[in-house]
Amino acid sequence: MNKLKIDNSVFNRLRFVLVETSSAGNIGSVARAIKTMGFGELVLVNPRFPDALQAPEAVAFASGAQDVLSAARIVASMEEALQGCNFAAAVSARLREFSPPLIAPRALATQLVQDTDLHAALIFGNERFGLPNELVQKCNVLINIPANPDYSSLNLAQAVQVLAYECRVAALGDAPPVSDIGFHGQAAGLADIEGMYEHLEQALIAIEFLKPDSPKKLMPRLKRLFARTQLETEEVNILRGIARQILTPKQKSK
């Protein structure tokens, strides 16, 4: 991936804006939420307490995302918060009679990823009062998270996490997650696997689990079973070791 493509990624074009946040813990939790999804730009508009970014609760709830927290900006107005953006999306659980077009989180995420000219801000309101109507009306779209209609109240950091997650999934597409967890051995060769089947068949005959004179349905079934596992070389060797141990004459106890 070249530098231009990296710089134009949605991860570098998306800003999270919190308006008049009341809880220091929520600010820290939001920093953590966006960092876990690969984002890092956080702007606070008039938080309702001083030293919002240094508050002990904010630092504690950031839990490893202190870099996002320390890089966050505090501004006095939405105009400052949206400098450099050409698209704004208000996030609200409350629908408005007069509002910009309503859009679902997944559809918005797809739009933000596909339109690389968009430098967007996702705007989240105060925990208790949400966003004022006049601010919502200035945005390009209104995002409503399709939660349980009988209880649609999401915590601020939870709402941020949902939007950040949808944007990450849209950006990554269907690519499988890269993981170094677990052992990944070398795939066994077809000749090695066939030799293992022959060895295993001899062992099963030796213990009279497989009768060579009867219809041989057992081995085809075992082959189908092992074919689904994508055997590795070490696994083939283990199975051959088991077969070898079965076939080795045991010294009778004295």
Side-chain angles (χ1 to χ4, degrees):
M1 185 180 290
N2 60 44
K3 185 176 185 296
L4 177 61
K5 203 165 184 180
I6 293 174
D7 290 345
N8 218 21
S9 162
V10 70
F11 298 104
N12 295 309
R13 292 186 286 106
L14 186 58
R15 179 180 304 171
F16 291 81
V17 178
L18 308 184
V19 179
E20 298 185 356
T21 311
S22 298
S23 165
N26 277 338
I27 293 173
S29 295
V30 166
R32 180 179 182 179
I34 66 175
K35 182 173 182 177
T36 59
M37 294 296 114
F39 299 93
E41 188 172 3
L42 178 62
V43 176
L44 311 182
V45 181
N46 293 325
R48 295 195 169 189
F49 52 93
D51 299 323
L53 300 178
Q54 290 79 38
E57 191 177 9
V59 174
F61 276 74
S63 185
Q66 283 85 358
D67 55 335
V68 174
L69 193 64
S70 61
R73 295 184 291 120
I74 296 179
V75 298
S77 67
M78 279 304 304
E79 287 72 20
E80 289 180 80
L82 296 179
Q83 282 182 2
C85 293
N86 56 13
F87 187 91
V91 182
S92 177
R94 181 164 55 92
L95 301 180
R96 322 294 169 103
E97 183 177 1
F98 299 101
S99 77
L102 185 66
I103 187 170
R106 191 158 299 175
L108 175 77
T110 300
Q111 180 181 354
L112 295 181
V113 169
Q114 292 179 349
D115 189 345
T116 56
D117 290 328
L118 290 181
H119 292 266
L122 299 181
I123 305 171
F124 300 81
N126 173 268
E127 295 92 331
R128 183 176 177 185
F129 303 107
L131 291 169
N133 288 334
E134 59 270 19
L135 193 157
V136 172
Q137 291 168 8
K138 293 179 181 178
C139 292
N140 300 91
V141 294
L142 175 65
I143 306 168
N144 183 256
I145 297 172
N148 177 4
D150 295 328
Y151 186 69
S152 59
S153 176
L154 284 172
N155 170 270
L156 173 59
Q158 292 173 334
V160 170
Q161 187 81 76
V162 169
L163 270 297
Y165 169 79
E166 290 291 353
C167 290
R168 181 174 183 82
V169 170
L172 297 180
D174 295 326
V178 177
S179 174
D180 292 327
I181 298 175
F183 175 76
H184 301 281
Q186 181 181 13
L190 295 177
D192 292 332
I193 293 174
E194 193 57 38
M196 180 269 292
Y197 287 142
E198 293 174 4
H199 209 166
L200 185 60
E201 184 174 4
Q202 294 169 15
L204 294 175
I205 291 172
I207 62 174
E208 298 183 352
F209 189 84
L210 173 63
K211 299 186 184 303
D213 297 333
S214 64
K216 297 181 179 180
K217 292 184 178 180
L218 177 62
M219 289 310 299
R221 288 184 181 277
L222 286 177
K223 289 181 179 182
R224 187 174 68 170
L225 184 155
F226 285 120
R228 293 198 299 268
T229 67
Q230 298 181 341
L231 286 165
E232 297 173 359
T233 300
E234 177 120 1
E235 293 165 342
V236 167
N237 292 337
I238 290 171
L239 290 168
R240 296 199 72 162
I242 294 171
R244 188 179 302 110
Q245 192 69 13
I246 293 172
L247 293 168
T248 301
K250 298 293 186 294
Q251 185 177 12
K252 294 183 179 180
S253 301
K254 293 183 179 179

